[in-house]
Amino acid sequence: MSHFRPMDPTSPIDRQFGLEASPVVLINLFTLDKADESTFLEVWQDDAAFMKGRPGFISTQLHRALGENPTYLNYAVWESTAHFQAAFVHPEFRAKISAYPSSAVASPHLFQKVAVAGICVA
């Protein structure tokens, strides 16, 4: 992938690796040119299959924005920040991301569930 754009410029993904949390949710927003959509989906499937086989992986889901805009959101659950980091920096994964179309821009960020009384459980 040619471009990473932090969701929060003050906390890019590599800075989040130093924060211990368990479990974590990766939210990754992808933007790309419409002409690259089928290539994007093929490459995403390949790298998601790799991630699925890594220790600490729990689940993933890809969502496409409604309408003509080829914007995708990946939601992936990991046992911990450390597990996600190990998969993300793995040389095989790093090689896979180079296959993404040049128009693809990824904005990855890690999150944790928040308990809100009477609404959400953590």
Side-chain angles (χ1 to χ4, degrees), residues 1 3-9 12 28-29 31 103 105-109:
M1 184 162 328
H3 303 290
F4 282 95
R5 181 179 308 132
M7 203 175 282
D8 174 359
N28 197 356
L29 185 69
T31 58
S103 71
V105 176
S107 297
H109 202 89

Side-chain angles (χ1 to χ4, degrees), residues 9-33:
T10 66
S11 185
I13 195 76
D14 58 334
R15 279 201 207 151
Q16 294 173 45
F17 291 156
L19 305 173
E20 291 184 28
S22 183
V24 294
V25 175
L26 168 72
I27 300 292
N28 197 356
L29 185 69
F30 295 94
T31 58
L32 56 135
D33 292 342

Side-chain angles (χ1 to χ4, degrees), residues 17-103:
F17 291 156
L19 305 173
E20 291 184 28
S22 183
V24 294
V25 175
L26 168 72
I27 300 292
N28 197 356
L29 185 69
F30 295 94
T31 58
L32 56 135
D33 292 342
K34 185 146 184 69
D36 292 332
E37 200 163 7
S38 63
T39 301
F40 167 81
L41 290 170
E42 290 172 14
V43 175
W44 184 88
Q45 182 177 6
D46 185 50
D47 86 36
F50 171 80
M51 291 299 205
K52 186 176 178 181
R54 305 308 306 163
F57 174 88
I58 296 173
S59 66
T60 194
Q61 181 65 53
L62 185 65
H63 303 266
R64 187 187 188 283
L66 295 177
E68 293 301 312
N69 184 9
T71 299
Y72 286 83
L73 182 133
N74 173 219
Y75 178 97
V77 183
W78 289 84
E79 288 180 19
S80 68
T81 305
H83 282 101
F84 173 71
Q85 178 184 5
F88 188 81
V89 301
H90 192 283
E92 189 175 341
F93 175 71
R94 302 307 285 182
K96 287 180 180 305
I97 62 175
S98 67
Y100 276 92
S102 62
S103 71

